[in-house]
Amino acid sequence: MVEGFRQGYVIPQGLIAHGRGEMFYYLLGERTTKEARVAEKAAAALMLGAKRPVISVNGNVAALCPEGVVSLAEASGARIEIGLFHRSDERVSKIESALKRAGAKDVLGFLPDARIPGLESMRGLCCREGIFSADVVLVPLEDGDRAEALSKMGKKTIAVDLNPMSRTARTATVTIVDEVSKALPEVTKYVEDLEDDKAEIRRALSKYDRDENLRSVMERMSGNLCKA
Ligand code: PTJ
């Protein structure tokens, strides 16, 4: 994160958001929980059932796990699009280079030609052949307005957010409460495992209940606090 900040594609707000995430990760016991695995499997099932899946990448995600993004995109056939809260061409271009260094061949986002309805200014910019026409969008570390606006467009969303109380966590179709660099390889593994198993894909989705999953995560966090 610090290196990404030095290179100019992670913003100061990104460092603060990372600290917020770390705090929740401590409460989780700094590990991938049973609840996270259920959500990661449901996320893989959702991506496998999608016609036009897209992974949205911001500054923090580009700094933390560019290889994780590329591997998941390759396994699931998803496109990668840079979608920024604080957008500038310079940041988009640096993030595109970081993703390409990690092996990405095709990255959308530099030339946006569409807009997410309801989002003002630069935050609403996106690509028609990417997020705008996607049916499933993976939005790691997303802000609540954007997550809500994407759901209002009728898209299914997959959030990765260590805060189980955030608006994003409570808006997404599937919410993974796990550290993003741990979560993406888990989703990739489930994509590879489930690929040819339609019955298991259905089971993974029907087994997942977002609100119940988030409740269970919060119980785990408060249990860990009481044990301390
Ligand atoms: O690069 P930009 O311009 O798109 O800006 C990115 C940030 C992250 C600054 C922007 O999207 C933002 O402010 O996000 P929020 O509203 O702080 O939401 C980020 C959420 O991700 C918070 O709920 C954090 O707890 C959570 N989070 C932070 N680090 C991680 C995380 N979740 C998973 N893994 C992490 N490493």
Side-chain angles (χ1 to χ4, degrees), residues 55-111:
I55 304 171
S56 178
V57 176
N58 64 19
N60 287 40
V61 175
L64 290 170
C65 50
E67 291 86 4
V69 170
V70 174
S71 302
L72 178 55
E74 276 171 5
S76 65
R79 311 260 339 238
I80 300 172
E81 179 167 340
I82 300 164
L84 298 184
F85 189 87
H86 304 275
R87 189 188 164 92
S88 73
D89 284 351
E90 193 192 346
R91 286 190 70 214
V92 175
S93 154
K94 286 179 174 169
I95 291 170
E96 185 176 324
S97 302
L99 288 165
K100 291 206 163 147
R101 278 197 301 277
K105 289 176 194 73
D106 168 42
V107 180
L108 298 167
F110 191 73
L111 293 172

Side-chain angles (χ1 to χ4, degrees), residues 9 11 13-14 17-22 24 58-60 64 83-87 91 95 141-144 160-163 166 178-181:
Y9 62 85
I11 45 172
Q13 295 90 325
H18 188 69
R20 276 199 289 279
E22 277 188 327
F24 285 107
N58 64 19
N60 287 40
L64 290 170
L84 298 184
F85 189 87
H86 304 275
R87 189 188 164 92
R91 286 190 70 214
I95 291 170
L141 282 62
E142 187 58 272
D143 95 284
V160 182
D161 193 329
L162 279 161
N163 177 2
S166 75
D178 196 3
E179 207 287 315
V180 67
S181 58

